[in-house]
Amino acid sequence: MIYVVIGSNFGDEGKGLATDYLAWKLNTSKTLVVRHNGGAQSGHTVETSGIREDHYDSRRHVFNELSSGSFRGADTFWASTYYPDLFKLTDELYRFYEVSGFVPRILASRKTNITIIDDVFINMLLELSRGEERHGSCGMGIWEATLRTEAGYGISMEWISEHSEEELLNKLIDIRVNYVLPKLKEAGIDLHIDEDIYEMLSDYSILNSFASSVKENMNLVTLVDETKEFFLSYDNVIFESGQGLCLDAENEENAPHVTASRTGLTNPVSILGKLGLNIDEVLYITRTYVTKHGAGPLANEDNMLLFQYEIDDGTNVFNVWQGDIRYGYFGSMDEITKRVQKDLEHLDYDVKKSLFITHLNETNNEILLVNVKEDIMEPVNMPIEEYIDSALVGVFDKVYMSASRYAKDVVEKDI
């Protein structure tokens, strides 16, 4: 079976929980979770509870590059459309090992291109230069890695595996001299806008350290060909998407406050279609309210929801690039279904369509909706059962409902 997990809004909907739930429910050691868009900027949180090895077990991890099915023994696969950060990988593996006691298996397409340290520097300098007009980037360099690769300066996992550390260093120097610095100059960026970044761009020994770490960390990843036989060697495949439909690279409504990647069905359909494989079920994930971490408009924003409903979010904390996470209402009960139906246009065959609703415990089993009259927002919160009957019938085949942080508490209902 092949599943796709997609965020319905601006991200932070609960894709980690949904992926963990599927891996737990499928209960097989032959599950592959595919990271297919973005890179290490993801922050998918999974918490587990229950009895393990005759004692109570509680574990929590925020997944960046590993898949959210890792606690359940699923392998992680970096597709050719993903941009991993090999430099940061050991940090996550160490954190995961501390809470799990094991190191999950990581595989990658030979064609997967990496994010490099200079992508992060460009990303940060560009965002700083925008002042109050920031795009909302998380400062991880994903957009810049995409542009650099498209410009012919990509570094694939296969290339790294076939070349020496010295050759990698020379390639990084070439990229800095012939791509990075000219790009910053052309953009009119004052490198002194951040003295720390300026010094690091002037210090080529940093590239030496980066090359050394990348070559060493390549030993943690197994390269494979992205073939039909590879996917079919697993009982189940789960595509775990990053961010959400509102942040899709081609979402003109929210530009320029979008990501560089395709956050919906585009990548899974393309990857599988070339191999003659189809998706069996696509799960769209949403909280009972709207969140956004980063700059840009947010319709029906009301950050008092944080206090009104005692929302507890230990992952999306304040950071200098995105600020505080923001909260708001849905403007209509069909807001999500309209986005989903547009994304489903990427398919030319039928699949099971599901909505996975999280954080029901925070809002008393209600979807937070609002009517706006004369610039005044009037909450018209809707009980979940009424929402299902009014908005989901005819669009979705199933709804998953979560009123806790744990996979074991998820409830399924056919529509």
Side-chain angles (χ1 to χ4, degrees), residues 57-288:
D57 172 52
S58 179
R59 295 175 289 174
R60 180 182 187 274
H61 183 78
V62 179
F63 290 93
N64 304 127
E65 301 182 82
L66 297 177
S67 82
S68 296
S70 296
F71 278 137
R72 313 300 178 178
D75 291 347
T76 295
F77 177 61
W78 296 338
S80 55
T81 50
Y82 187 73
Y83 285 90
D85 189 329
L86 284 175
F87 184 76
K88 294 180 180 296
L89 179 60
T90 48
D91 173 66
E92 180 174 6
L93 283 173
Y94 177 76
R95 289 188 289 109
F96 182 79
Y97 180 79
E98 278 194 314
V99 297
S100 70
F102 70 95
V103 176
R105 188 176 184 217
I106 306 172
L107 307 103
S109 166
R110 300 182 191 278
K111 299 179 180 179
T112 299
N113 287 279
I114 68 166
T115 303
I116 65 173
I117 194 167
D118 280 12
D119 296 326
V120 178
F121 293 154
I122 298 176
N123 192 174
M124 290 180 173
L125 288 171
L126 286 173
E127 194 74 339
L128 286 171
S129 71
R130 294 175 181 131
E132 297 298 320
E133 302 299 320
R134 288 190 178 190
H135 289 178
S137 171
C138 55
M140 299 288 285
I142 309 302
W143 184 283
E144 297 307 325
T146 305
L147 296 178
R148 174 178 51 78
T149 301
E150 292 175 348
Y153 289 91
I155 305 178
S156 72
M157 301 280 288
E158 183 174 46
W159 189 94
I160 297 171
S161 69
E162 295 176 346
H163 291 78
S164 67
E165 182 181 320
E166 182 180 1
E167 289 173 311
L168 174 58
L169 174 60
N170 290 335
K171 191 174 187 71
L172 292 168
I173 292 173
D174 175 67
I175 291 172
R176 177 172 288 188
V177 171
N178 295 307
Y179 176 80
V180 174
L181 294 177
K183 176 173 181 172
L184 289 170
K185 182 178 180 181
E186 181 181 350
I189 302 300
D190 178 8
L191 298 184
H192 291 279
I193 194 171
D194 187 295
E195 291 297 333
D196 290 336
I197 297 178
Y198 172 74
E199 289 181 10
M200 287 186 284
L201 279 172
S202 304
D203 183 1
Y204 284 75
S205 67
I206 288 178
L207 296 182
N208 192 18
S209 298
F210 181 83
S212 177
S213 294
V214 165
K215 281 295 294 183
E216 182 178 353
N217 291 348
M218 273 296 300
N219 296 321
L220 302 170
V221 183
T222 301
L223 299 186
V224 298
D225 293 316
E226 210 169 71
T227 64
K228 182 176 183 178
E229 290 72 25
F230 167 66
F231 286 113
L232 291 180
S233 69
Y234 287 86
D235 296 331
N236 298 285
V237 177
I238 305 168
F239 282 78
E240 179 183 2
S241 307
Q243 299 144 320
L245 293 177
C246 292
L247 296 177
D248 184 85
E250 295 192 3
N251 190 319
E252 297 179 358
E253 179 182 355
N254 293 309
H257 309 286
V258 294
T259 182
S261 68
R262 306 308 306 274
T263 61
L265 282 168
T266 303
N267 290 342
V269 168
S270 175
I271 292 169
L272 296 170
K274 294 174 184 177
L275 307 177
L277 297 172
N278 287 348
I279 298 164
D280 294 292
E281 182 178 359
V282 55
L283 293 82
Y284 291 92
I285 321 302
T286 183
R287 294 195 191 196
T288 53

Side-chain angles (χ1 to χ4, degrees), residues 3 18 21-22 24-26 281 283 352 354-357 385 388 397-402 407-415:
Y3 304 84
Y21 173 71
L22 284 176
W24 172 76
K25 172 187 172 184
L26 297 170
E281 182 178 359
L283 293 82
K352 177 181 285 187
S354 302
L355 188 66
F356 196 117
I357 304 172
E385 293 298 335
I388 292 172
D397 303 300
K398 175 181 283 191
V399 60
Y400 298 81
M401 293 173 283
S402 169
K408 65 181 180 63
D409 296 328
V410 172
V411 175
E412 299 182 16
K413 178 179 180 180
D414 292 326
I415 301 177

